[in-house]
Amino acid sequence: KAGVTQTPRYLIKTRGQQVTLSCSPISGHRSVSWYQQTPGQGLQFLFEYFSETQRNKGNFPGRFSGRQFSNSRSEMNVSTLELGDSALYLCASSLVGDRTNEAFFGQGTRLTVV
Amino acid sequence: AQKVTQAQTEISVVEKEDVTLDCVYETRDTTYYLFWYKQPPSGELVFLIRRNSFDEQNEISGRYSWNFQKSTSSFNFTITASQVVDSAVYFCALLGDNFNKFYFGSGTKLNVKP
């Protein structure tokens, strides 16, 4: 059974640009969550999608957005990149996204903003 | 408010030593789940254990054991006879009433030296 796949693994962007990251959950999983990991702030919740609907959102500016497709694949977009957006972005998938389900994480996309 | 504290930033041990990673949590939810994840250099978060708030039984899995004490809001993780392959960053996390929104501690980097 394939795990959670995040693409690309590494990305270098320039300030002001925008970026789209992709997450393919485990087959059959309908919940996808996104997290940002930085040395200073640690792991912080961005948002969660379930059946193409955003169910939950963290405290991030509107430059951070996401969506989920009918096949449960999810994308997150960051517009007008800032140096502080450099981070490891992790996505997690789970069956239905309630607390009884185990969440599986991908290897992440490491974004560097220069 | 939900909060997880891992006071130990980094721990170094010599192979075969036992090591305990501390985790203290805060939550007002009556039901919640606690987790430990391992993050190797490759980046993905590897699930180790999940406990719900009604199950205070300690658990042992091979060289790993977990001590959950609601009275002190702690969920500590012990590795017995540590090995070099245990070197990683370990995260304690809390899942409250809010669907799939994890609250992570800041992580403890474990260095196991041969």
Side-chain angles (χ1 to χ4, degrees), chain A residues 57-73:
Chain A
K57 191 177 190 312
N59 296 326
F60 279 81
R63 300 185 296 107
F64 291 81
S65 62
R67 57 178 175 168
Q68 187 179 34
F69 302 95
S70 58
N71 62 358
S72 293
R73 188 178 71 85

Side-chain angles (χ1 to χ4, degrees), chain A residues 9 31 33 35 37 42-43 45 48 55-58 88 90 93-94 97-108, chain B residues 29 31-33 35 37 39 41-47 50 89 91 95-106:
Chain A
R9 289 290 313 279
S31 167
S33 303
Y35 291 81
Q37 185 177 17
L43 278 152
F45 174 79
E48 188 231 356
R55 276 203 302 203
N56 214 337
K57 191 177 190 312
L88 179 66
L90 291 163
S93 83
S94 67
D98 71 15
R99 300 175 303 165
T100 63
N101 297 149
E102 183 181 330
F104 295 84
F105 284 82
Q107 288 189 301
Chain B
D29 294 341
T31 61
Y32 50 90
Y33 282 79
F35 298 77
Y37 281 90
Q39 187 176 45
S42 53
E44 80 274 23
L45 289 172
V46 178
F47 169 82
R50 175 183 63 218
V89 180
F91 290 93
L95 202 58
D97 285 337
N98 204 347
F99 293 110
N100 240 11
K101 182 177 181 179
F102 281 94
Y103 293 86
F104 285 93
S106 53

